Amino acid sequence: MYVFTEGKVTEPEYIKAIQQLGTLRNPKARVDVQIANATDQGSQRKPLVLVDNAIALLREKKREAKRAGLKEGDAAWPQVWCLFDRDQHEGVETALSRADKAGVKVAYSHPCFEVWRVLHLKSVTGTFGGVCGAAEQRLPHEWHQISGGIKSVVPKQVEGRFEEARKRALDMNAEHPDYTLVSHRDPYTNVFDFVEDGLGIASY
């Protein structure tokens, strides 16, 4: 699996943490994760750019897979995911649509990834007005752990909390009418899809 993340630290550390903790649905099908844009900076981490880069990589990896004799649906068939937030980005709905048409999977959060972290502790009510800081404020002080000068995710913060976080996310997302554009749903997250469908993790 190749993953493009908007954040340089939080999302990659979360992925690392849950891979350490997670129980796989199929113990023989552990997913090898590569952060495809680990060295990218600034503008290269905006949703439209992430998606365009992900589409190009998926096409390349599909060609390689076919040359190797793989077929779509095989366990080793390449997956490409993007993890990004609403924040104040432009073109989010376009990015989501473009990814869907190309077969790139997206884990999207509004206003930001911290909504998913909050759901590991409690339900989320009300809106954040698109302000990530408002979501961050709902995290306990100790969850703002600093590692090397940057906020990090450590396994003990999420351990044993996936199933409840997933249920809370589904309940939260269901508050939005189906006709509301995904990019306008505040709050929203489908990171649980990435955990289950992408990483094949049933619980952590």
Side-chain angles (χ1 to χ4, degrees):
M1 174 198 288
Y2 301 88
V3 184
F4 289 80
T5 66
E6 179 182 340
K8 288 195 71 172
V9 178
T10 306
E11 291 93 327
E13 289 206 358
Y14 168 75
I15 294 168
K16 187 191 305 179
I18 64 171
Q19 283 200 293
Q20 291 172 9
L21 298 169
T23 299
L24 296 173
R25 280 184 288 192
N26 179 357
K28 296 180 180 178
R30 184 169 182 82
V31 177
D32 175 32
V33 178
Q34 296 184 33
I35 304 300
N37 64 328
T39 60
D40 287 352
Q41 302 292 330
S43 62
Q44 291 298 305
R45 291 181 171 273
K46 294 187 176 181
L48 276 170
V49 179
L50 286 182
V51 166
D52 285 344
N53 289 341
I55 291 170
L57 181 63
L58 180 59
R59 287 174 179 157
E60 175 190 334
K61 295 303 175 183
K62 278 185 174 180
R63 286 194 295 268
E64 291 177 5
K66 287 176 181 176
R67 284 197 295 268
L70 296 174
K71 294 180 181 177
E72 195 159 354
D74 290 347
W77 188 259
Q79 293 187 70
V80 178
W81 281 78
C82 288
L83 274 65
F84 61 81
D85 306 335
R86 178 65 185 89
D87 287 330
Q88 303 300 317
H89 297 305
E90 296 180 1
V92 169
E93 200 64 40
T94 300
L96 291 168
S97 175
R98 199 175 288 177
D100 183 57
K101 288 176 184 175
V104 168
K105 305 296 185 182
V106 175
Y108 166 75
S109 300
H110 190 319
C112 59
F113 186 79
E114 278 62 33
V115 169
W116 174 239
R117 296 180 68 196
V118 171
L119 290 164
H120 284 72
L121 293 173
K122 55 191 173 183
S123 297
V124 171
T125 57
T127 68
F128 295 102
V131 179
C132 185
E136 290 179 331
Q137 287 172 5
R138 298 198 194 180
L139 291 170
H141 176 73
E142 61 270 20
W143 280 40
H144 294 277
Q145 178 175 333
I146 302 297
S147 175
I150 44 185
K151 294 175 186 173
S152 62
V153 178
V154 295
K156 67 180 181 181
Q157 294 173 348
V158 296
E159 187 172 10
R161 301 176 187 266
F162 173 68
E163 291 178 15
E164 193 60 35
R166 179 184 182 278
K167 181 181 182 303
R168 289 171 180 148
L170 288 169
D171 290 344
M172 178 185 77
N173 294 348
E175 292 294 315
H176 302 289
D178 290 342
Y179 59 78
T180 304
L181 291 174
V182 174
S183 61
H184 293 175
R185 298 177 188 182
D186 178 9
Y188 178 91
T189 188
N190 71 322
V191 174
F192 53 86
D193 285 335
F194 170 72
V195 175
E196 295 180 314
D197 301 337
L199 297 176
I201 290 175
S203 63
Y204 58 72

